[in-house]
């Protein structure tokens, strides 16, 4: 029901804003903009789904090899001590645990093309365990919120944009973004754990958090020692090595277990094609709603309203220029990237606002896009508290991004 109210809300707000613009300011072109945005976003949704078909077929084919060869089962057993506490409703050693691990690993490395197919595979396996096929289960909600919180080690795409737009030090947002996305993930994890009454105070979880903290600390120290050119080179190299190593691991493990690797790949690839087709209606629905909301000017009104409130509270409003990027981030990844680029061009890559919008962009992932794609792929219509927990993680990421940007860049 939450998605239904949000989806309808986008259209209603856009219509009200358009009526006000027409009646009060005589903006006769507003409805033309709204109609054009619906056509453009529908086309974009189809192109996104079509573009994902090959990638989905590739990775779901590889995952099928891992499933038949027992590699996913090995990963599941290895992860059971931690994941069985985060996902208590998933049976110990279930293949979904391995798929979740692969998805989260790809996300942390910024490998979006690999993360989405693995996430869809995990969601399909979670749906097999779900007793109510139209309602999100507890493991689905936990998995989705961990995805929307967007924990990433190296915000490579953002750093590339900064380099292209003339930043003197494109990598200076690395540590602030890492801290911000970690906060967003922790808040999202805690929010879901509270709602599902999951106890996070246990040895496996504390050991995992400690290990991740040590790893993050070492990574920060390492990248501080590098120049921006070295950082870009090494981060890209590491990501590509990890990606191709994963591909070869699936294939060689299958050969070792003496399965028909080719047939397994083809079977999984067929699932990838079917999945890409299934998500088209959900993408069209949400991208159209978001496009209409943005084209109406409702986003600008929201930003101006926040700016007015902040100013009346006597607080500094220097960060307000980055709010369009921060708010759009939950709705559309491409839209947020576009607004981030516009912000950097307007204020400068090395300006305070330029830094804030980049850190906000990397704070978390695109909540509504992930909701539409992941839940849509398995036919979930009742999302329960997934939207609420995802938006809590998003909001905490935005607040953290602004505060941390003041610490690092003001």
């Amino acid at each position: 029901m939450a998605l239904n109210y949000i989806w309808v809300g986008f259209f209603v707000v856009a219509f009200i804003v358009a009526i006000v613009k027409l009646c009060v300011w005589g903006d006769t072109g507003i409805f033309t903009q709204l109609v054009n945005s619906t056509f453009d976003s529908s086309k974009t949704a189809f192109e996104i789904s079509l573009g994902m078909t090959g990638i989905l077929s590739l990775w779901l084919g590889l995952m099928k090899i891992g499933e038949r060869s027992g590699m996913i089962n090995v990963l599941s057993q290895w992860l059971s001590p931690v994941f069985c506490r985060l996902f208590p409703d998933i049976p110990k050693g279930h293949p979904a645990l391995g798929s979740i691990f692969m998805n989260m690993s790809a996300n942390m490395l910024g490998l979006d093309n690999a993360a989405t197919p693995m996430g869809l595979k995990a969601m399909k396996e979670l749906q097999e365990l779900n007793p109510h096929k139209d309602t999100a289960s507890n493991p689905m909600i936990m998995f989705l919120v961990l995805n929307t919180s967007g924990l990433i080690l190296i915000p490579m795409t953002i750093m590339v944009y900064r380099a292209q737009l003339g930043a003197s030090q494109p990598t200076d947002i690395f540590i602030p973004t890492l801290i911000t996305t970690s906060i967003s993930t922790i808040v999202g994890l805690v929010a879901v754990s509270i709602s599902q009454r999951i106890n996070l105070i246990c040895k496996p979880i504390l050991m995992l958090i400690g290990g991740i903290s040590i790893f993050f600390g070492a990574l920060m120290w390492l990248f501080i020692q590098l120049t921006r050119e070295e950082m870009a080179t090494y981060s890209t190299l590491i990501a590509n090595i990890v990606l191709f190593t994963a591909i070869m691991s699936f294939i060689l493990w299958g050969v070792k277990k003496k399965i028909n690797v080719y047939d397994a790949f083809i079977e999984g690839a067929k699932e990838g094609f079917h999945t890409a087709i299934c998500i088209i209606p959900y993408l069209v629905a949400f991208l159209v709603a978001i496009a209409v909301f943005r084209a109406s000017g409702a986003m600008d009104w929201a930003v101006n309203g926040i700016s007015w409130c902040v100013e009346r509270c006597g607080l500094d409003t220097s960060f307000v220029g980055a709010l369009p990027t921060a708010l759009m981030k939950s709705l559309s990844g491409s839209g947020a990237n576009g607004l981030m680029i516009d912000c950097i061009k307007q204020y400068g890559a090395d300006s305070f606002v330029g830094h804030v919008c980049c850190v906000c962009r990397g704070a978390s992932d695109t909540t509504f896009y992930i909701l539409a794609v992941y839940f849509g792929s398995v036919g979930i219509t009742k999302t329960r508290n997934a939207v609420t927990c995802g938006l809590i993680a998003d909001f905490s990421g935005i607040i953290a991004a602004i505060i941390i940007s003041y610490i690092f860049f003001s």
Side-chain angles (χ1 to χ4, degrees):
M1 291 300 290
L3 287 179
N4 176 54
Y5 292 136
I6 291 170
W7 190 74
V8 173
F10 281 141
F11 283 100
V12 171
V13 171
F15 181 72
I16 292 173
V17 172
I19 290 294
V20 171
K21 284 188 171 184
L22 177 63
C23 297
V24 177
W25 294 304
D27 187 353
T28 57
I30 183 62
F31 281 96
T32 301
Q33 296 175 26
L34 293 182
V35 172
N36 288 340
S37 69
T38 62
F39 293 142
D40 292 341
S41 56
S42 297
K43 179 182 177 182
T44 300
F46 177 77
E47 290 174 346
I48 289 173
S49 299
L50 188 64
M52 288 176 62
T53 304
I55 298 168
L56 281 169
S57 297
L58 169 64
W59 284 102
L60 292 186
L62 291 170
M63 292 295 285
K64 180 62 69 174
I65 295 173
E67 183 181 318
R68 284 194 180 180
S69 65
M71 184 178 180
I72 300 298
N73 186 50
V74 171
L75 285 173
S76 301
Q77 293 177 353
W78 181 60
L79 294 166
S80 288
V82 172
F83 276 17
C84 283
R85 285 166 174 78
L86 293 180
F87 303 93
D89 295 337
I90 301 179
K92 187 175 181 180
H94 193 275
L97 297 175
S99 299
I100 291 172
F101 171 74
M102 297 295 292
N103 167 264
M104 293 177 64
S105 299
N107 270 328
M108 291 175 70
L109 292 170
L111 305 173
D112 295 338
N113 288 342
T116 300
M118 293 173 182
L120 293 174
K121 175 69 171 176
M123 192 62 72
K124 181 180 179 181
E125 291 167 345
L126 292 176
Q127 179 70 333
E128 294 173 358
L129 298 172
N130 187 6
H132 308 288
K133 300 303 181 183
D134 63 340
T135 305
S137 64
N138 283 347
M140 285 180 172
I141 295 173
M142 174 65 82
F143 175 59
L144 187 132
V145 172
L146 289 177
N147 265 269
T148 62
S149 64
L151 181 62
I152 185 172
L153 297 180
I154 305 169
M156 194 63 216
T157 302
I158 300 173
M159 292 192 292
V160 168
Y161 281 134
R162 286 181 52 76
Q164 292 174 343
L165 294 171
S168 60
Q169 183 57 268
T171 57
D172 58 3
I173 53 96
F174 168 64
I175 292 178
T177 302
L178 184 59
I179 296 172
T180 301
T181 188
S182 299
I183 291 173
S184 175
T185 300
I186 291 172
V187 170
L189 176 63
V190 171
V192 179
S193 298
I194 291 174
S195 67
Q196 298 181 4
R197 298 182 179 180
I198 296 174
N199 180 19
L200 296 178
I201 310 300
C202 58
K203 184 178 179 181
I205 300 296
L206 294 177
M207 289 180 63
L208 175 65
I209 293 175
I212 291 176
S213 300
I214 293 172
F215 177 74
F216 278 7
L219 192 67
M220 290 181 188
W221 178 85
L222 173 64
F223 273 79
I224 288 174
Q225 315 303 315
L226 302 177
T227 64
R228 66 183 184 186
E229 292 82 7
E230 290 173 334
M231 184 183 293
T233 299
Y234 288 131
S235 59
T236 303
L237 177 62
I238 292 170
N240 288 331
I241 288 175
V242 170
L243 185 60
F244 196 72
T245 300
I247 293 173
M248 290 304 301
S249 298
F250 280 111
I251 295 173
L252 294 178
W253 192 282
V255 171
K256 178 183 177 183
K257 296 299 181 180
K258 299 179 180 180
I259 69 167
N260 190 322
V261 176
Y262 179 77
D263 284 350
F265 178 86
I266 295 300
E267 182 182 341
K270 290 179 181 178
E271 295 178 9
F273 180 80
H274 177 71
T275 300
I277 299 301
C278 287
I279 65 177
I280 291 177
Y282 299 91
L283 274 182
V284 170
F286 260 95
L287 291 187
V288 168
I290 291 166
V292 167
F293 182 78
R294 184 182 177 187
S296 69
M299 176 70 75
D300 296 331
W301 285 23
V303 171
N304 292 334
I306 294 173
S307 177
W308 183 86
C309 292
V310 170
E311 189 175 353
R312 289 295 178 273
C313 293
L315 301 176
D316 182 49
T317 59
S318 301
F319 67 91
V320 170
L323 283 181
T325 302
L327 298 177
M328 180 58 67
K329 170 182 59 63
S330 299
L331 305 175
S332 167
S334 58
N337 286 338
L339 290 175
M340 179 183 70
I341 292 170
D342 289 343
C343 179
I344 292 175
K345 287 181 178 179
Q346 179 179 353
Y347 294 96
D350 293 323
S351 66
F352 175 71
V353 176
H355 281 108
V356 176
C357 73
C358 290
V359 177
C360 284
R361 178 64 187 92
S364 59
D365 214 326
T366 312
T367 299
F368 289 104
Y369 174 84
I370 292 176
L371 276 166
V373 171
Y374 280 31
F375 280 161
S377 68
V378 292
I380 294 294
T381 57
K382 299 177 182 178
T383 61
R384 297 173 58 204
N385 61 347
V387 176
T388 303
C389 292
L391 291 179
I392 287 173
D394 271 3
F395 182 74
S396 66
I398 292 173
I399 298 300
I402 293 171
I403 294 173
I404 291 170
S405 293
Y406 270 103
I407 295 173
F408 277 83
F409 304 117
S410 64

